[in-house]
C-alpha cells in the first residue's frame, strides 16, 4: 500500500449537542473533537444511548451542534446559508440509515433519483444514473418496485444506491445492518467495505460487527457523549 496524502474532509471541534426536554437537558454529545481524513475508513462503536447517531448526524451535517464548530472540506458550516449547506452536503455526503428511510410512495428508481433532483440534474440523467446504480447493486429487476415490495436487504441496497446518487466522497452509515438478518447484513457490509477498499471513498460506519471493526483504520469508542478512546488498527 502506498502512502496516502490526507486532509480532513470533516472536522468537529469541541462539539456539544444538548436536547432541551423542558425540565431536564440531555447532553447527547459532550465536547467531541474529531478529524476525518479523506479516504479513511472509520468505525464508530459504543453502547446504546452513547451519542453515536447524534454524532453521525452532525458529522453528516444533517444536524447542527449546540456548541462547537463543524467544518466540511475546511469550511465552518455555520458560515454557510441553509440552502448552500444542503447543496454542498447533498453533493459530498451520502447517508445510510438503519431504517432505510426510503419514501414509500416512490419506486426504487425514483428514490435513487431524488437526491439528483435536488442538485438540479435533468430527469433523463437522473434516471440513467439511478438505473446504473441499481444494476450495480443487483437490483436490475426491482427498479419499479416500491419499498414495501422489497425485502430488507433489497431496501438497504436501494438506500445505498440513493446515498451514491451524487457520487459523494463521503459515505456515512448508521447501524446499516441493524434491521437485517445476519446473512443479508454481511452482504450489505461487503458492499459498504468495497466503497472504501475498491472505490476509495471515505466511509464512517456505526456498527456492532466485530469483523468489520477489525478492518477499519480507526475505531472511535463513544461513551456518555464523549470519545472514550480512538484505536488505530495496524495495517499490514
Ligand atoms: N431528538 C432527541 N431528543 C431528545 N433526546 C434525544 C434525541 N435524540 C437522541 N436523544 C438522546 O441523546 C442520547 C444519545 O442518543 P443517540 O445519539 O441516539 O445514541 P446512540 O445512537 O449511541 O444510541 C440518548 O440519551 C438519547 O435518548
Ligand atoms: Mg443510534
Amino acid at each position: 500500500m502506498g502512502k496516502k496524502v490526507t486532509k480532513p474532509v470533516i472536522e468537529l471541534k469541541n462539539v456539544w449537542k444538548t436536547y432541551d426536554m423542558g425540565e431536564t437537558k440531555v447532553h447527547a454529545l459532550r465536547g467531541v473533537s474529531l478529524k476525518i481524513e479523506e479516504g479513511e475508513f472509520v468505525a464508530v462503536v459504543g453502547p446504546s444511548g452513547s451519542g453515536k447517531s447524534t454524532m453521525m448526524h452532525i458529522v453528516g451535517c444533517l444536524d447542527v451542534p449546540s456548541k462547537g464548530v463543524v467544518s466540511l472540506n475546511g469550511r465552518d458550516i455555520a458560515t454557510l446559508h441553509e440552502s448552500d449547506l444542503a447543496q454542498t452536503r447533498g453533493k459530498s455526503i451520502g447517508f445510510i440509515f438503519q431504517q432505510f428511510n426510503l419514501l414509500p410512495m416512490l419506486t426504487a428508481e425514483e428514490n435513487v433519483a431524488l437526491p439528483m433532483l435536488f442538485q438540479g440534474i435533468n430527469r433523463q440523467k437522473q434516471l440513467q444514473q439511478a438505473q446504473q446504480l441499481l444494476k450495480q447493486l443487483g437490483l436490475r429487476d426491482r427498479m419499479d418496485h416500491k419499498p414495501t415490495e422489497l425485502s430488507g436487504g433489497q431496501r438497504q441496497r436501494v438506500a445505498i444506491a440513493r446515498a451514491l446518487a451524487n457520487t459523494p466522497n463521503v459515505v456515512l452509515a448508521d447501524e446499516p445492518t441493524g434491521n437485517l438478518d445476519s446473512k443479508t447484513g454481511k452482504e450489505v457490509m461487503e458492499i459498504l467495505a468495497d466503497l472504501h477498499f475498491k472505490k476509495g471513498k471515505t466511509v464512517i460506519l456505526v456498527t456492532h460487527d466485530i469483523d468489520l471493526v477489525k478492518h477499519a483504520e480507526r475505531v472511535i469508542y463513544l461513551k456518555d457523549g464523549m470519545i472514550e478512546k480512538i484505536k488505530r488498527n495496524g495495517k499490514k
Side-chain angles (χ1 to χ4, degrees), residues 41 96 137 156 160 163-164 171-177 185-198 201 203-206 212:
F41 179 22
I96 297 154
L137 287 157
Q156 197 56 304
I160 293 170
L164 298 175
V171 175
L172 306 183
D174 188 358
E175 302 199 41
T177 61
K186 279 265 175 275
E187 289 163 10
V188 164
M189 280 303 187
E190 246 161 61
I191 295 168
L192 293 173
D194 279 354
L195 292 177
H196 168 74
F197 290 109
K198 296 196 177 147
K201 293 197 187 291
V203 175
I204 309 168
L205 177 71
V206 177
L212 216 87

Side-chain angles (χ1 to χ4, degrees), residues 126-189:
Q126 286 173 28
L127 297 179
Q128 260 174 20
Q129 165 84 342
Q131 287 161 16
Q132 199 187 335
L133 284 165
L134 287 167
K135 281 179 200 165
Q136 283 169 11
L137 287 157
L139 294 167
R140 179 188 292 271
D141 53 359
R142 291 292 184 276
M143 301 205 196
D144 297 328
H145 289 232
K146 303 241 171 84
T148 52
E149 300 158 355
L150 297 168
S151 70
Q154 289 169 337
R155 285 182 210 186
Q156 197 56 304
R157 280 185 280 150
V158 173
I160 293 170
R162 180 184 56 185
L164 298 175
N166 292 318
T167 52
N169 293 326
V170 182
V171 175
L172 306 183
D174 188 358
E175 302 199 41
T177 61
N179 280 337
L180 304 176
D181 62 77
S182 61
K183 180 172 170 284
T184 312
K186 279 265 175 275
E187 289 163 10
V188 164
M189 280 303 187

Side-chain angles (χ1 to χ4, degrees), residues 19 21 26-28 46-55 174-175 222:
Y19 294 108
M21 305 300 288
V26 176
H27 298 292
S48 175
S50 58
K52 303 182 298 295
S53 293
T54 303
M55 189 180 87
D174 188 358
E175 302 199 41
L222 271 188

Side-chain angles (χ1 to χ4, degrees), residues 89-115:
R89 177 185 59 215
K91 258 201 310 255
S92 30
I93 302 173
F95 216 109
I96 297 154
F97 305 88
Q98 179 175 353
Q99 316 286 349
F100 321 127
N101 291 8
L102 298 172
L103 293 183
M105 303 304 287
L106 301 184
T107 64
E109 185 183 7
E110 290 162 346
N111 266 287
V112 178
L114 202 57

Side-chain angles (χ1 to χ4, degrees), residues 56-106:
M56 291 293 273
H57 280 93
I58 290 176
V59 167
C61 304
L62 294 171
D63 201 357
V64 292
S66 310
K67 218 170 77 184
V69 177
V70 179
S71 304
L72 179 58
N73 298 314
R75 285 190 68 181
D76 178 351
I77 65 164
T79 66
L80 296 172
H81 289 289
E82 179 67 40
S83 59
D84 291 337
L85 176 59
Q87 200 72 16
T88 309
R89 177 185 59 215
K91 258 201 310 255
S92 30
I93 302 173
F95 216 109
I96 297 154
F97 305 88
Q98 179 175 353
Q99 316 286 349
F100 321 127
N101 291 8
L102 298 172
L103 293 183
M105 303 304 287
L106 301 184

